[in-house]
């Protein structure tokens, strides 16, 4: 065991499935290197649990390089823990002190039912995307994209919105469990570009309708989503979605 | 003509109320909150301006004229009804939205650190609003009920019958009590924080977010949120301590 390793107490939410009630279990994480990521710390704890013949903690993870958005953990009252602009896999144990007690919960939202322990079902996001988060007109081959001139600021703004990885931290952070930041980013990334503008009206109507049906809460502009977003998606997107939606519902033919 | 009008009302109604209609949607409900909020902000401005006439300090002469205008002008009297509707709509929407938001998170977090990502007053708008409503009920009883439903208030000191008071005199009387002054001042703190979030939030909800104008709106919001409640709070204080005679 190298010098400077930490011993931590973990209080982790354990829940069998969405139909059962969950509760906190306490685990001791011993000899944790400050250079480990938060997920690697969980790997160590799970290995220990498996060796002891106990059930490991279920948690989501995939790329472990901050771009897949799977690692949903609500750590000490904040999605993805205390650091800004990072996912859980990019959070390192040096952000904690030896002897700390860390409380880890799943995203809590009616629209994100718990699958097991810390893993939640985010297919509600998929259904919102399926409702309109696409371009259905033929946009041609790669070279054709250059036939339509797009001002650099517009392209940049669309790209910034497209940086959303759909992790759900916005919903987790929001006191109302609102998905407005996610949906607005997906509405914006297409509405800002000429190929996406064609279907912008119907898209925003359909996506907001699906968002409401999934049971997400309503935005009160606290800005918690923007502050906790690992990709720093801007609140301007929510204003754009509101604008697009209000205009579309006032002018739509049905 | 009549048919066209009826059809217009019907279409407008279905736009707002149908299953997929604007007001059934989350954004539509927020829109109504923002719109009524801005309307109530405009009311605060008028109310504050008229009441600030007491600071002319002429024994209430100018203020009483202002009060008489507000009490008798048909446009103002019509807007009074619109104002009540606006307040009720703002409250009802707030309740509907809050209940929906509660339902959206059936299992609460064991640990939350909201202070890390948002201001406390943006998270406690409902509580601040409730405090303002409680104040409003007492405030209406103090002044509005007395003016509208009793013969206690005379338009000017010259018209006053025995036992009658002018609006200015009524203010002096009410603000003699220390608890009233304290309550009014505390309520203005609630109002200030409610506005501090609400002012800029309303613009964001209406979709009015712009790189150039949003910083201006935010600054105007902060100035408004501090200035208006401070002027309001100065009224009971000035009357209580006889600075306004």
């Amino acid at each position: 065991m190298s010098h400077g390793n930490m011993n931590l107490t973990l209080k982790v939410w354990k829940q069998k499935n969405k139909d059962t009630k969950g509760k906190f279990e306490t685990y001791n994480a011993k000899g944790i290197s400050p250079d480990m990521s938060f997920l690697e710390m969980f790997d160590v704890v799970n290995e220990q649990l498996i060796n002891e013949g106990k059930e490991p903690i279920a948690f989501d993870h995939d790329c472990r390089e901050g771009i897949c958005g799977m690692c949903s953990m609500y750590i000490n009252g904040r999605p993805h823990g205390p650091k800004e602009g990072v996912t859980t896999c990019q959070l390192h144990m040096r952000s904690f002190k030896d002897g700390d007690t860390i409380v880890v919960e799943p995203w809590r939202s009616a629209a994100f039912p718990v699958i097991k322990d810390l893993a939640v079902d985010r297919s509600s996001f998929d259904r919102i995307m399926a409702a309109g988060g696409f371009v259905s007109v033929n946009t041609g081959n790669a070279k054709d994209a250059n036939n339509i001139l797009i001002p650099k600021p517009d392209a940049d703004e669309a790209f910034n919105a497209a940086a959303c990885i759909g992790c759900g931290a916005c919903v987790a952070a929001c006191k109302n469990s609102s998905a407005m930041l996610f949906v607005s980013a997906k509405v914006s990334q297409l509405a800002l570009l000429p190929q996406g503008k064609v279907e912008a009206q119907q898209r925003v109507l359909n996506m907001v309708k699906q968002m409401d049906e999934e049971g997400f809460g309503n935005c009160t502009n606290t800005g918690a989503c923007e502050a906790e977003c690992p990709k720093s998606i801007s609140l301007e997107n929510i204003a754009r979605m509101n604008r697009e939606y209000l205009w579309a519902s006032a002018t739509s033919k049905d | 003509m009549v048919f066209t009008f009826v059809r217009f009302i019907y279409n407008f109604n279905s736009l707002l109320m149908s299953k997929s209609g604007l007001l059934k949607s989350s954004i539509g409900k927020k829109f109504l909150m923002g719109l009524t909020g801005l309307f109530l902000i405009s009311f605060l401005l008028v109310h504050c301006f008229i009441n600030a006439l007491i600071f002319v300090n002429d024994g209430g002469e100018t203020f009483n004229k202002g009060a008489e205008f507000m009490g008798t002008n048909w446009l103002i009297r019509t807007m009074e009804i619109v104002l009540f509707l606006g307040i009720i709509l703002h409250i009802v929407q707030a309740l509907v939205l809050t209940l929906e938001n509660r339902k959206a998170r059936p299992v609460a977090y064991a640990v939350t650190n909201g202070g890390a990502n948002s201001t406390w007053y943006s998270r406690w708008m409902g509580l601040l609003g409730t405090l303002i409503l409680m104040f409003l009920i007492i405030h209406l009883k103090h002044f509005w009920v007395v003016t509208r439903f009793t013969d206690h208030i005379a338009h000017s000191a010259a018209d006053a019958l025995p036992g009658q008071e002018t609006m200015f005199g009524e203010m002096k009387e009410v603000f003699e009590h220390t608890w009233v002054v304290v309550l009014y001042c505390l309520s203005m703190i609630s109002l200030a924080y409610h506005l501090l979030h609400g002012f800029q939030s309303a613009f964001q909800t209406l979709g009015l977010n712009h790189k150039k104008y949003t910083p201006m709106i935010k600054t105007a919001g902060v100035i408004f949120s501090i200035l208006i409640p401070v002027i309001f709070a100065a009224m009971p204080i000035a009357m209580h301590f006889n600075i306004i005679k």
Side-chain angles (χ1 to χ4, degrees), chain A residues 1-8 30-38 40-41 83 89-98:
Chain A
M1 218 176 281
S2 69
H3 183 69
N5 282 2
M6 303 184 285
N7 294 323
L8 303 155
K30 285 185 189 131
I32 299 299
S33 157
D35 298 327
M36 277 182 190
S37 82
F38 202 82
E40 283 163 345
M41 184 264 294
K83 283 264 144 81
C89 64
Q90 302 285 292
L91 174 70
H92 291 88
M93 295 316 293
R94 52 181 169 269
S95 298
F96 299 89
K97 288 195 306 287
D98 186 33

Side-chain angles (χ1 to χ4, degrees), chain A:
Chain A
M1 218 176 281
S2 69
H3 183 69
N5 282 2
M6 303 184 285
N7 294 323
L8 303 155
T9 307
L10 300 178
K11 289 200 161 142
V12 182
W13 186 260
K14 289 286 286 176
Q15 185 171 340
K16 200 170 169 221
N17 56 44
K18 74 174 166 57
D19 301 316
T20 53
K21 269 194 170 175
K23 64 175 180 7
F24 282 100
E25 292 269 358
T26 306
Y27 301 93
N28 292 315
K30 285 185 189 131
I32 299 299
S33 157
D35 298 327
M36 277 182 190
S37 82
F38 202 82
L39 296 186
E40 283 163 345
M41 184 264 294
F42 261 72
D43 292 337
V44 170
V45 172
N46 271 351
E47 205 166 78
Q48 218 170 40
L49 287 172
I50 291 165
N51 286 341
E52 289 166 10
K54 289 179 189 156
E55 198 192 58
I57 305 158
F59 64 95
D60 267 328
H61 59 99
D62 191 10
C63 76
R64 299 213 179 192
E65 54 184 10
I67 54 167
C68 80
M70 282 305 282
C71 47
S72 52
M73 286 190 191
Y74 198 84
I75 303 158
N76 284 347
R78 294 181 71 181
H80 301 137
K83 283 264 144 81
E84 262 159 47
V86 293
T87 49
T88 310
C89 64
Q90 302 285 292
L91 174 70
H92 291 88
M93 295 316 293
R94 52 181 169 269
S95 298
F96 299 89
K97 288 195 306 287
D98 186 33
D100 274 359
T101 298
I102 307 171
V103 181
V104 189
E105 301 174 68
W107 286 177
R108 296 198 190 276
S109 163
F112 290 162
V114 171
I115 298 168
K116 190 173 167 58
D117 303 344
L118 302 173
V120 295
D121 178 0
R122 281 166 282 186
S123 58
S124 48
F125 271 12
D126 298 338
R127 289 188 290 275
I128 294 172
M129 290 306 279
F134 49 81
V135 172
S136 58
V137 292
N138 190 355
T139 57
N141 294 319
K143 69 177 173 63
D144 300 321
N146 296 324
N147 291 341
I148 307 170
L149 299 178
I150 300 164
K152 182 73 164 67
D154 289 7
D156 286 348
E157 222 175 327
F159 188 81
N160 287 342
C164 168
I165 52 176
C167 65
C170 46
V171 177
C174 177
K175 78 174 185 68
N176 311 318
S177 261
S178 166
M180 293 258 186
L181 194 67
F182 165 76
V183 181
S184 70
K186 298 303 174 190
V187 162
S188 293
Q189 67 182 17
L190 298 173
L192 284 162
L193 298 176
Q195 293 92 339
K197 254 182 197 139
V198 184
E199 297 163 294
Q201 284 217 347
Q202 206 48 51
R203 176 181 307 115
V204 71
L205 290 175
N206 290 344
M207 288 180 83
V208 169
K209 186 164 171 266
Q210 189 63 37
M211 171 182 82
D212 290 347
E213 278 171 17
E214 296 292 344
F216 290 104
N218 307 288
C219 173
T220 52
N221 302 324
T222 67
C225 53
E226 183 188 51
E228 297 292 4
C229 175
K231 299 297 157 187
S232 305
I233 303 291
S234 165
L235 282 182
E236 279 172 46
N237 292 302
I238 297 185
R240 182 180 298 106
M241 175 175 70
N242 291 347
R243 208 155 58 220
E244 295 252 336
Y245 182 84
L246 292 169
W247 184 246
S249 57
T251 55
S252 80
K253 292 197 175 81
D254 39 53

